[in-house]
Amino acid sequence: MILPPDSRSANLLIWALLFGTIALWQIVCLLHSRLPPLKTLFDLLCRWWVTRWALLLGWFWWGWHVWVRGGW
């Protein structure tokens, strides 16, 4: 069954997949030390001012759409 893109179930499914992917990446990083964890990737990204601003703007965008507008 395909869910419509504006349904609550589709939104929850997308968020669950996103957070599940992040959790799986962290677990794989703990088991295999050759892969960098997310903290290392964010530290690398935050070396440059452009990516710092992009992360900040992305954080504001996410906060506005989820918490202020009540996107749940």
Side-chain angles (χ1 to χ4, degrees):
M1 180 175 134
I2 298 176
L3 300 170
D6 59 343
S7 74
R8 178 177 163 87
S9 299
N11 287 333
L12 291 175
L13 178 66
I14 290 169
W15 283 110
L17 288 173
L18 178 69
F19 288 122
T21 303
I22 290 171
L24 182 64
W25 179 264
Q26 289 296 104
I27 290 170
V28 168
C29 289
L30 286 173
L31 296 176
H32 303 286
S33 61
R34 293 182 302 168
L35 297 173
L38 287 176
K39 181 192 181 317
T40 305
L41 295 176
F42 276 110
D43 287 344
L44 179 66
L45 286 175
C46 287
R47 288 183 184 177
W48 301 284
W49 67 271
V50 174
T51 54
R52 280 194 302 261
W53 278 101
L55 288 171
L56 180 65
L57 290 174
W59 184 256
F60 283 152
W61 178 87
W62 181 78
W64 176 263
H65 285 283
V66 173
W67 303 111
V68 175
R69 287 183 39 195
W72 292 105

